[in-house]
Amino acid sequence: MEIEIGRGKKARRAYGFDDVAIVPSRRTRDPDDVDISWKVGDYRFELPLLASAMDGVVSPETAKIIGTLGGLAVLNLEGIWTRFEDADAELERIAQLPKDAATREMQAIYQEPIKPELISRRIEEIKAEPGVVAAASLTPQRVARYYELALEAGLDILVIQGTVVSAEHVSQTTEPLNLKEFIREVGVPVIVGGCASYHTGLHLMRTGAAGVLVGVGPGAACTTRGVLGLGVPQATAIADVAGARSTHMLETGEYVQVIADGGMRTGGDVSKAIACGADAVMIGSPLARAYEAPGRGFHWGMATFHPTLPRGARVQTVQNGTLREILTGPAHENDGSFNLMGALRTSMATCGYKDLAEFNRAELMIAPSLQTEGKALQTSQGVGMGSRGAAASAHPDKPNGNGTPAADKAPALTGAD
């Protein structure tokens, strides 16, 4: 249903995670009987989780840890790890930057050229851990230049990411990437994004992509919605692209994975993303809190250091748990920010669903009061469900939302069909 903004413009109403609630069904299930695994191409993962391709989140070492836990970590092949031999020294430098100089100094740091030999080395470092799937991201502008190096080093899954990636990029000055031809010839599963609408999602699926990232601007470090004024709240964006998946399935018989990218802080957010239609989630800020995270308590997106139009911020997190605790527990906080995958499993079991495909069909309600109804004491004391707002007020630099926005990636130069 469209709402009139003025006589000359109407718009749809869109919803974020805080606006919706999952409705329990008539059946419950034992959590041990719930299957939360998912697949990309021929690769099967125990956890429906991708770690965002952000320098403060994924290093070769954290990629190996997340891989052994059953998830998939995506390394940024245009970031610190491929620009500097001693990446840790640069990450330490970024963590020490004063707030008012962070963006300007990071713009200078990221002017260091990408070194092709480091692309190969970093992927080989990930592949050194037996059984871990190596995934890495490139922007549409650079994928043709560097993808062969990555494949030769053993890359298993390629992620092509930008603020917005389309299958029909138009340019009078450059020859755009033809996504359909590229994906057909590259030889490994390709995930593309971000997008936030039915039609863009459908066009990306028609390129032959194995997965589509959904999210424009919802992440904790992203400022795209303020700088460019664009984006769609995640619950609506995911549901729209899930609808495109159904259309594409009817057209071709091929199932494309829908990956919610950004805007998730708690297990409840992850559960809502799957209930809205996602097959998996991509998160950044929740993992940037880990003791092992390379950002040393800081988190920033891939457009934070854009040389002329930064669309991200370096935000501070509180390092308070291991990657294992954040993903699979045990939790030692009651605000939903630990054991994200255990929360998803319990949510599915409580509603009686046995796998992710069934959970996609869960009943939802518009329920903005879900976050506040009966929670006055928690809110006033800053505990449990009331801790999110209290933490944001106490720490202005601390993110009050999570995820890894595709909107934090490089400029919106996109592929062409």
Side-chain angles (χ1 to χ4, degrees):
M1 183 179 69
E2 291 188 332
I3 299 170
E4 185 178 283
I5 295 174
R7 289 184 180 273
K9 182 70 71 172
K10 293 182 178 179
R12 292 172 58 206
R13 174 68 188 270
Y15 300 96
F17 294 131
D18 285 352
D19 297 316
V20 300
I22 304 167
V23 181
S25 72
R26 63 181 176 83
R27 179 185 294 113
T28 56
R29 191 179 293 273
D30 191 317
D32 291 337
D33 295 336
V34 172
D35 179 10
I36 62 171
S37 65
W38 75 302
K39 289 184 66 177
V40 178
D42 293 330
Y43 299 102
R44 180 180 178 275
F45 302 93
E46 293 300 319
L47 306 180
L49 170 117
L50 295 87
S52 231
M54 296 180 176
D55 286 337
V57 176
V58 176
S59 66
E61 189 59 34
T62 59
K64 290 188 283 188
I65 295 171
I66 291 167
T68 57
L69 290 172
L72 177 67
V74 183
L75 184 71
N76 176 15
L77 292 184
E78 299 177 32
I80 295 292
W81 295 95
T82 58
R83 295 176 191 264
F84 295 92
E85 290 270 354
D86 189 354
D88 281 317
E90 295 304 315
L91 290 163
E92 180 66 32
R93 178 183 170 194
I94 290 172
Q96 297 301 322
L97 291 172
K99 176 182 174 182
D100 58 355
T103 298
R104 183 173 64 252
E105 292 298 323
M106 289 170 71
Q107 286 176 310
I109 290 170
Y110 279 88
Q111 289 299 305
E112 179 74 16
I114 295 169
K115 298 175 177 58
E117 65 274 15
L118 288 180
I119 290 177
S120 301
R121 186 187 307 172
R122 302 310 185 196
I123 293 171
E124 289 168 356
E125 289 173 4
I126 297 172
K127 296 290 289 185
E129 184 70 31
V132 170
V133 177
S137 77
L138 289 164
T139 55
Q141 303 95 304
R142 292 191 172 115
V143 66
R145 191 185 316 172
Y146 295 121
Y147 83 94
E148 289 180 332
L149 284 170
L151 293 181
E152 289 170 4
L155 186 72
D156 298 307
I157 296 174
L158 175 63
V159 181
I160 301 176
Q161 286 181 288
T163 299
V164 173
V165 172
S166 76
E168 192 176 342
H169 181 67
V170 179
S171 174
Q172 296 182 358
T173 58
T174 63
E175 182 65 31
L177 174 70
N178 187 314
L179 275 175
K180 194 168 188 177
E181 289 183 3
F182 177 82
I183 290 172
R184 184 171 60 242
E185 297 171 0
V186 72
V188 298
V190 179
I191 297 170
V192 296
C195 70
S197 70
Y198 171 89
H199 291 291
T200 305
L202 183 58
H203 278 263
L204 288 177
M205 292 173 188
R206 287 171 175 166
T207 67
V212 173
L213 299 171
V214 182
V216 175
C222 185
T223 63
T224 292
R225 291 179 176 180
V227 175
L228 301 183
L230 54 84
V232 177
Q234 279 293 71
T236 294
I238 295 164
D240 280 353
V241 179
R245 178 185 59 203
S246 298
T247 299
H248 185 260
M249 184 79 172
L250 289 172
E251 289 178 348
T252 66
E254 297 178 357
Y255 190 92
V256 178
Q257 306 293 324
V258 172
I259 303 163
D261 180 12
M264 289 156 286
R265 172 184 179 270
T266 66
D269 294 335
V270 171
S271 299
K272 291 177 186 180
I274 303 298
C276 284
D279 298 287
V281 298
M282 176 178 264
I283 59 176
S285 300
L287 304 180
R289 296 167 30 234
Y291 298 133
E292 306 98 322
R296 293 150 171 80
F298 287 90
H299 172 51
W300 59 95
M302 291 173 65
T304 301
F305 47 84
H306 189 283
T308 60
L309 190 64
R311 295 184 307 282
R314 187 201 64 169
V315 295
Q316 187 172 7
T317 63
V318 177
Q319 291 182 283
N320 58 358
T322 65
L323 284 169
R324 179 180 294 276
E325 289 169 339
I326 293 167
L327 291 179
T328 61
H332 51 76
E333 295 286 348
N334 57 12
D335 61 357
S337 61
F338 283 85
N339 197 0
L340 302 179
M341 296 295 102
L344 170 63
R345 186 186 298 276
T346 300
S347 180
M348 293 170 61
T350 302
C351 295
Y353 298 103
K354 66 180 180 180
D355 56 31
L356 299 176
E358 279 196 2
F359 200 36
N360 283 169
R361 300 191 290 271
E363 182 183 357
L364 296 177
M365 283 193 174
I366 307 303
S369 64
L370 191 78
Q371 303 298 317
T372 56
E373 185 176 44
K375 304 299 182 291
L377 289 177
Q378 293 183 36
T379 301
S380 66
Q381 296 171 33
V383 299
M385 289 179 63
S387 62
R388 183 185 302 197
S393 299
H395 304 282
D397 292 337
K398 182 180 175 183
N400 62 3
N402 277 45
T404 72
D408 282 349
K409 313 298 188 293
L413 184 63
T414 55
D417 187 359

